Structure formats: structure tokens, C-alpha cells
Amino acid sequence: MGIRRTRTQVGIVGAGPAGLFLAHLLHRSGIEAVILESRAREEIEGTIRAGVLEQWTVDLMNAMGLGARMMREAHFHDGFTLRFAGESHHVDVRDLTEGKRVTVYAQHEVLKDLLAAWLESGGRIVFGVRDVVLNGIESELPSIAFRHGGEGGGEAEAEELHCDFLVGCDGFHGPSRQAIPAGARTEYQKVYPFGWLGILCEAPPSHHELIYARHERGFALLSTRSPDIQRLYLQCDPHDDIANWSDDRIWAELHRRLETAAGWRLVEGRIFQKNIVSMRSFVCEPMQHGRLFIAGDAAHIVPPTGAKGLNLAVADVLVLSRALEGHYRAGRRDRLDAYGATALRRIWKAERFSWSMTTMLHTNPEETSFEQRIRMAELDYLVHSRAALTALAENYVGLPFD
Ligand code: FAD
Ligand code: DHB
């Protein structure tokens, strides 16, 4: 069978937060985009990942007309709790940032809202694509070759999507970053010697806000999803097998690490999802090569402690959508050329914040007892300094967007 040739203005690889926000932003500017996604819609909508949205991400979803369900179902918190050395400290984010709030709304709920709206608007998205190859990225006529269909026994179709620009929004393991020649990119990386074991359980909330806890046995985090479903994480060996973690062992560890404040109790419930993720900081520079741009986790990774990854992916594509708008509306090349440099200024600040939250709150087996003491001093200083708390709060809700 021959190759079907199709055409669009912007070809997007990946339907995570970066790909879907970009497609919507371009559509609003009258720019046509097609999304190619390797997974099925149900899988995307069922993958449990992030939970916290920065204030401007919430404002952007509302401005795009995509925030109605989020405004009904999300949890809006005035702050969060830091717990260490047997004490709890409330970080009043709203007070420290002139009214900004912490929004807890799961990533897969954001994706459900964006996917439904994209399909409703008549946008094209191809699920279950395979053998994605980016062609001619250094030329004026780039294209994406891929296969799709054939799952039900029918014949798979080969297609080549010709585009003005290609955008790799295909996450850390996708092919887009690798399409930039190795000699043309530099990768900065730090791998942490710990990971997070995350669970979802059927239980009422144990607290009205998130709790980030540092404990000598390791970090723990209490978050939420709904009045009946809670999300918790605990620091573990990144190479550990989830099979080693019975529900009883998980609860015992969470009780030990979180129940350090007088009178506070963690409510247990049936665990229905558990997994382990490793942690790294990673940045690829530049984020552009010829007519290929990369955005979100394809270009950078942060450890999840600062709750930045999804928000950073959206920030990238906001910058990129403005640059593409400048190109199509006014023939401007300058913003496209500046995309990486503009995005990287925000990315490196988020990398710094995520690294600092991670090192401050985790027990690192590779650190000396001197360094462990420094971490405790850092926390003690933080919760007793309004200046330090303000810096924490303004980073947590998202730095001003320029
Ligand atoms: P992804 O979400 O990885 O999407 C990439 C998409 O590309 C996927 O759908 C994938 O299937 C697709 N793809 C891959 N390869 C191909 C291919 N060859 N062809 C076509 N499609 C392809 N961030 C926050 O902001 N706040 C939080 O509270 C937070 N908590 C987190 C907690 C955990 C436990 C984890 C693991 C992450 C957390 N994050 C958080 C990070 C956040 O989930 C990611 O940064 C975010 O998903 C990045 O979005 P993305 O669109 O760049 O990439
Ligand atoms: C959640 C995840 C995070 O990484 C974080 O810092 C806070 C909350 C969550 O999944 O709810």
C-alpha cells in the first residue's frame, strides 16, 4: 500500500499537556495543527501523574474557555504545610503572594478536558501512531512519517504529514529530542539516589491542605484528588520493586513519617493504585533545530517535589504559540529564533526551585551528617523568615510570566 500524504501548518508529536495546550493555543490564533499520539485515548486519560497547577495555568485554562469543570471540581488551597523535627508550619501562600492560591486538579483531568474540547472543535488527533520519524527538520519542508490503524486486524496505514514546523511534545522518552543531532545539543543532568512511591486510596482527606514532610526515614507528601480519593507519596529506593511494598508496609511508613505533629492522624483507606518513579533534573539546550522545536518533558525534567513539570510544559508552549503567531500574522522570525532562550530563562528557575525543594526535604544517603544538619537549618530559617517564605511561595504558585 502507498503512503498517504497530508499537510498541516504545525505537526505536534505527543498529546500530553504540552501538545494539547499548544494545539489549542494555535487553534485560537487561527493556525492549523495536527497531533500524533502513540497511546490510546483511554490510556492518556487514565495515567496518574501531576496534581498541582500554578495560578497562571489556571488563569490560562479559564481564558481559553477550558476551565469550567476545573473550577467546579478542583481544590483551591490557601497554602500548604511543612512538617519536620516534630513540628508543623503553615505556609500561607495566599497571604504571601497577594491572593494567589494552590490549585489541586489532576493532570489526567486537565487532559480529559483538553482532549474533549479539541475533538469537539473538529481538531485532528491520531491516536496509536507507531514508527514516528521526523524528516527534513533542517529543510523548509519538514514532515513526520508514521503508521497508524490496523489494530482490529485491518491494514495499518502509512502516512507522511508535511508541515511548516514540527513540535516535539513527546515527553522524556519520545523521539523528538533525539532528532536534534547529538553534536548540536548539550544535556545537563542530575540523577537523585531516591524515588517516589505514589499511591491513590479511597479515604476522606486527612488534612485540608497538602503536607510536605521531611523525616529521618525519608520524605512523605500528603495530597488529595477528591473528597473520597487521596494521593500520597513516600521517598523510596528508585530501583525498588513495587512488589516489595505491601499495603501494610506503605501505611506503616506513611504513619511514621507524617504523624509527627501532636494530635494529627492519617486516615487509611483501600489502596487501588501504586507505583514507583525515579527522580532526575534534566535540561537539553537548545530547544530548537531548524524547523523542529521541543517543549515540555521532551526538553527538560524536574523532580516532582516542586510540582513544576506540567506547568513548565504549558509555559513552553505559551512562548512557542506566541512566536508562531508572530510568524504567521506578521512574518516575524525573531520570536521563533528566541523561543529556546526565552523558555530556558523560566526553565532554569524552575529547575533551581525543584532541586532546592528536593534536596531540602529528602534524606539523601549520599549526604554527610554535616549536610543533613545544613538542610535542617535551611528549613528552620525558612519557616521563621517572611522573606524566605515569600520566595518559596512565589516560586510555588508560579513566577510572574513575562
Ligand atoms: P508527557 O505528559 O510525557 O506527554 C508526552 C506524550 O507524548 C505522551 O502522551 C506520550 O504517549 C506521547 N509520545 C511519546 N512518544 C511518542 C511517539 N513516538 N509518538 C507519538 N507520541 C509519543 N507536574 C506539575 O506541574 N505538578 C505536579 O504536581 C506534578 N506532579 C508529578 C508527580 C509525579 C509522580 C510525576 C511522575 C510527575 C509529576 N509532574 C508534575 C510532572 C508532569 O506530570 C510532567 O512534567 C508532564 O506530564 C509533562 O508534560 P509533557 O506534555 O511535556 O509530556
Ligand atoms: C502532587 C504532586 C507533586 O509533585 C506535588 O509536589 C504536590 C502534589 C500530586 O500529585 O497531588
PDB file of all heavy atoms in Angstrom, residues 17-18 21 56 295-297 300 308-318:
ATOM      1  N   PRO A  17       0.254  17.346  28.260  1.00  0.00           N
ATOM      2  CA  PRO A  17      -0.084  18.749  28.495  1.00  0.00           C
ATOM      3  C   PRO A  17       0.537  19.688  27.447  1.00  0.00           C
ATOM      4  O   PRO A  17      -0.144  20.580  26.935  1.00  0.00           O
ATOM      5  CB  PRO A  17       0.498  19.023  29.884  1.00  0.00           C
ATOM      6  CG  PRO A  17       0.527  17.685  30.556  1.00  0.00           C
ATOM      7  CD  PRO A  17       0.786  16.693  29.469  1.00  0.00           C
ATOM      8  N   ALA A  18       1.822  19.482  27.098  1.00  0.00           N
ATOM      9  CA  ALA A  18       2.472  20.384  26.137  1.00  0.00           C
ATOM     10  C   ALA A  18       1.757  20.337  24.788  1.00  0.00           C
ATOM     11  O   ALA A  18       1.384  21.373  24.228  1.00  0.00           O
ATOM     12  CB  ALA A  18       3.948  20.016  25.979  1.00  0.00           C
ATOM     13  N   PHE A  21      -2.092  21.691  24.999  1.00  0.00           N
ATOM     14  CA  PHE A  21      -2.189  23.149  25.187  1.00  0.00           C
ATOM     15  C   PHE A  21      -1.728  23.867  23.921  1.00  0.00           C
ATOM     16  O   PHE A  21      -2.342  24.836  23.499  1.00  0.00           O
ATOM     17  CB  PHE A  21      -1.343  23.601  26.390  1.00  0.00           C
ATOM     18  CG  PHE A  21      -2.106  23.650  27.688  1.00  0.00           C
ATOM     19  CD1 PHE A  21      -2.101  22.573  28.549  1.00  0.00           C
ATOM     20  CD2 PHE A  21      -2.853  24.770  28.049  1.00  0.00           C
ATOM     21  CE1 PHE A  21      -2.816  22.605  29.752  1.00  0.00           C
ATOM     22  CE2 PHE A  21      -3.567  24.815  29.243  1.00  0.00           C
ATOM     23  CZ  PHE A  21      -3.542  23.726  30.108  1.00  0.00           C
ATOM     24  N   TRP A  56      -1.222  30.895  37.223  1.00  0.00           N
ATOM     25  CA  TRP A  56      -1.374  31.384  35.854  1.00  0.00           C
ATOM     26  C   TRP A  56      -1.839  30.268  34.909  1.00  0.00           C
ATOM     27  O   TRP A  56      -2.493  30.534  33.899  1.00  0.00           O
ATOM     28  CB  TRP A  56      -0.076  32.038  35.339  1.00  0.00           C
ATOM     29  CG  TRP A  56       1.000  31.033  35.079  1.00  0.00           C
ATOM     30  CD1 TRP A  56       1.926  30.591  35.967  1.00  0.00           C
ATOM     31  CD2 TRP A  56       1.195  30.295  33.876  1.00  0.00           C
ATOM     32  NE1 TRP A  56       2.697  29.613  35.384  1.00  0.00           N
ATOM     33  CE2 TRP A  56       2.267  29.414  34.103  1.00  0.00           C
ATOM     34  CE3 TRP A  56       0.567  30.274  32.629  1.00  0.00           C
ATOM     35  CZ2 TRP A  56       2.721  28.533  33.124  1.00  0.00           C
ATOM     36  CZ3 TRP A  56       1.029  29.397  31.653  1.00  0.00           C
ATOM     37  CH2 TRP A  56       2.093  28.545  31.910  1.00  0.00           C
ATOM     38  N   ALA A 295       9.402  20.833  23.428  1.00  0.00           N
ATOM     39  CA  ALA A 295       8.752  21.518  24.550  1.00  0.00           C
ATOM     40  C   ALA A 295       8.376  20.514  25.632  1.00  0.00           C
ATOM     41  O   ALA A 295       8.158  19.335  25.360  1.00  0.00           O
ATOM     42  CB  ALA A 295       7.496  22.245  24.051  1.00  0.00           C
ATOM     43  N   GLY A 296       8.275  20.992  26.863  1.00  0.00           N
ATOM     44  CA  GLY A 296       7.856  20.144  27.983  1.00  0.00           C
ATOM     45  C   GLY A 296       8.914  19.116  28.341  1.00  0.00           C
ATOM     46  O   GLY A 296      10.124  19.358  28.186  1.00  0.00           O
ATOM     47  N   ASP A 297       8.464  17.951  28.819  1.00  0.00           N
ATOM     48  CA  ASP A 297       9.389  16.908  29.288  1.00  0.00           C
ATOM     49  C   ASP A 297      10.332  16.416  28.185  1.00  0.00           C
ATOM     50  O   ASP A 297      11.345  15.789  28.474  1.00  0.00           O
ATOM     51  CB  ASP A 297       8.603  15.707  29.842  1.00  0.00           C
ATOM     52  CG  ASP A 297       8.127  15.924  31.288  1.00  0.00           C
ATOM     53  OD1 ASP A 297       8.151  17.077  31.757  1.00  0.00           O
ATOM     54  OD2 ASP A 297       7.718  14.940  31.941  1.00  0.00           O
ATOM     55  N   HIS A 300      13.057  18.969  29.052  1.00  0.00           N
ATOM     56  CA  HIS A 300      13.549  19.127  30.431  1.00  0.00           C
ATOM     57  C   HIS A 300      12.704  18.321  31.397  1.00  0.00           C
ATOM     58  O   HIS A 300      11.524  18.091  31.171  1.00  0.00           O
ATOM     59  CB  HIS A 300      13.533  20.605  30.836  1.00  0.00           C
ATOM     60  CG  HIS A 300      12.254  21.304  30.445  1.00  0.00           C
ATOM     61  ND1 HIS A 300      11.077  21.134  31.124  1.00  0.00           N
ATOM     62  CD2 HIS A 300      11.981  22.136  29.414  1.00  0.00           C
ATOM     63  CE1 HIS A 300      10.138  21.852  30.539  1.00  0.00           C
ATOM     64  NE2 HIS A 300      10.647  22.457  29.489  1.00  0.00           N
ATOM     65  N   LYS A 308       6.275  21.289  39.433  1.00  0.00           N
ATOM     66  CA  LYS A 308       6.527  22.231  38.335  1.00  0.00           C
ATOM     67  C   LYS A 308       6.388  21.660  36.917  1.00  0.00           C
ATOM     68  O   LYS A 308       6.218  22.413  35.957  1.00  0.00           O
ATOM     69  CB  LYS A 308       7.950  22.810  38.463  1.00  0.00           C
ATOM     70  CG  LYS A 308       8.119  23.792  39.595  1.00  0.00           C
ATOM     71  CD  LYS A 308       7.650  25.176  39.202  1.00  0.00           C
ATOM     72  CE  LYS A 308       7.304  26.034  40.389  1.00  0.00           C
ATOM     73  NZ  LYS A 308       5.943  25.894  40.898  1.00  0.00           N
ATOM     74  N   GLY A 309       6.524  20.335  36.731  1.00  0.00           N
ATOM     75  CA  GLY A 309       6.694  19.772  35.386  1.00  0.00           C
ATOM     76  C   GLY A 309       5.591  20.108  34.405  1.00  0.00           C
ATOM     77  O   GLY A 309       5.848  20.582  33.294  1.00  0.00           O
ATOM     78  N   LEU A 310       4.363  19.887  34.804  1.00  0.00           N
ATOM     79  CA  LEU A 310       3.229  20.166  33.909  1.00  0.00           C
ATOM     80  C   LEU A 310       3.166  21.656  33.609  1.00  0.00           C
ATOM     81  O   LEU A 310       2.996  22.083  32.474  1.00  0.00           O
ATOM     82  CB  LEU A 310       1.937  19.702  34.587  1.00  0.00           C
ATOM     83  CG  LEU A 310       0.610  19.909  33.872  1.00  0.00           C
ATOM     84  CD1 LEU A 310      -0.414  18.932  34.447  1.00  0.00           C
ATOM     85  CD2 LEU A 310       0.059  21.303  34.034  1.00  0.00           C
ATOM     86  N   ASN A 311       3.313  22.455  34.655  1.00  0.00           N
ATOM     87  CA  ASN A 311       3.226  23.907  34.493  1.00  0.00           C
ATOM     88  C   ASN A 311       4.314  24.436  33.558  1.00  0.00           C
ATOM     89  O   ASN A 311       4.069  25.328  32.750  1.00  0.00           O
ATOM     90  CB  ASN A 311       3.342  24.565  35.878  1.00  0.00           C
ATOM     91  CG  ASN A 311       2.157  24.214  36.766  1.00  0.00           C
ATOM     92  OD1 ASN A 311       1.047  24.703  36.552  1.00  0.00           O
ATOM     93  ND2 ASN A 311       2.364  23.350  37.740  1.00  0.00           N
ATOM     94  N   LEU A 312       5.476  23.843  33.653  1.00  0.00           N
ATOM     95  CA  LEU A 312       6.593  24.257  32.804  1.00  0.00           C
ATOM     96  C   LEU A 312       6.334  23.871  31.336  1.00  0.00           C
ATOM     97  O   LEU A 312       6.673  24.623  30.417  1.00  0.00           O
ATOM     98  CB  LEU A 312       7.853  23.562  33.318  1.00  0.00           C
ATOM     99  CG  LEU A 312       9.185  24.273  33.232  1.00  0.00           C
ATOM    100  CD1 LEU A 312       9.099  25.713  33.698  1.00  0.00           C
ATOM    101  CD2 LEU A 312      10.222  23.496  34.037  1.00  0.00           C
ATOM    102  N   ALA A 313       5.720  22.713  31.154  1.00  0.00           N
ATOM    103  CA  ALA A 313       5.370  22.276  29.791  1.00  0.00           C
ATOM    104  C   ALA A 313       4.394  23.278  29.173  1.00  0.00           C
ATOM    105  O   ALA A 313       4.527  23.665  28.002  1.00  0.00           O
ATOM    106  CB  ALA A 313       4.742  20.879  29.836  1.00  0.00           C
ATOM    107  N   VAL A 314       3.430  23.739  29.955  1.00  0.00           N
ATOM    108  CA  VAL A 314       2.455  24.708  29.440  1.00  0.00           C
ATOM    109  C   VAL A 314       3.139  26.048  29.172  1.00  0.00           C
ATOM    110  O   VAL A 314       2.855  26.718  28.170  1.00  0.00           O
ATOM    111  CB  VAL A 314       1.271  24.879  30.433  1.00  0.00           C
ATOM    112  CG1 VAL A 314       0.234  25.841  29.862  1.00  0.00           C
ATOM    113  CG2 VAL A 314       0.624  23.532  30.749  1.00  0.00           C
ATOM    114  N   ALA A 315       4.066  26.433  30.067  1.00  0.00           N
ATOM    115  CA  ALA A 315       4.784  27.709  29.868  1.00  0.00           C
ATOM    116  C   ALA A 315       5.568  27.699  28.555  1.00  0.00           C
ATOM    117  O   ALA A 315       5.548  28.667  27.801  1.00  0.00           O
ATOM    118  CB  ALA A 315       5.722  27.969  31.046  1.00  0.00           C
ATOM    119  N   ASP A 316       6.244  26.577  28.268  1.00  0.00           N
ATOM    120  CA  ASP A 316       6.991  26.469  26.998  1.00  0.00           C
ATOM    121  C   ASP A 316       6.082  26.737  25.800  1.00  0.00           C
ATOM    122  O   ASP A 316       6.416  27.502  24.896  1.00  0.00           O
ATOM    123  CB  ASP A 316       7.540  25.037  26.803  1.00  0.00           C
ATOM    124  CG  ASP A 316       8.715  24.708  27.695  1.00  0.00           C
ATOM    125  OD1 ASP A 316       9.166  25.581  28.440  1.00  0.00           O
ATOM    126  OD2 ASP A 316       9.174  23.540  27.639  1.00  0.00           O
ATOM    127  N   VAL A 317       4.943  26.038  25.787  1.00  0.00           N
ATOM    128  CA  VAL A 317       4.117  26.134  24.571  1.00  0.00           C
ATOM    129  C   VAL A 317       3.393  27.468  24.484  1.00  0.00           C
ATOM    130  O   VAL A 317       3.004  27.888  23.387  1.00  0.00           O
ATOM    131  CB  VAL A 317       3.152  24.926  24.417  1.00  0.00           C
ATOM    132  CG1 VAL A 317       3.941  23.637  24.276  1.00  0.00           C
ATOM    133  CG2 VAL A 317       2.123  24.849  25.524  1.00  0.00           C
ATOM    134  N   LEU A 318       3.244  28.153  25.613  1.00  0.00           N
ATOM    135  CA  LEU A 318       2.687  29.509  25.547  1.00  0.00           C
ATOM    136  C   LEU A 318       3.685  30.412  24.819  1.00  0.00           C
ATOM    137  O   LEU A 318       3.312  31.175  23.924  1.00  0.00           O
ATOM    138  CB  LEU A 318       2.397  30.018  26.968  1.00  0.00           C
ATOM    139  CG  LEU A 318       1.683  31.364  27.058  1.00  0.00           C
ATOM    140  CD1 LEU A 318       0.355  31.344  26.304  1.00  0.00           C
ATOM    141  CD2 LEU A 318       1.445  31.754  28.513  1.00  0.00           C
TER     142      LEU A 318
END
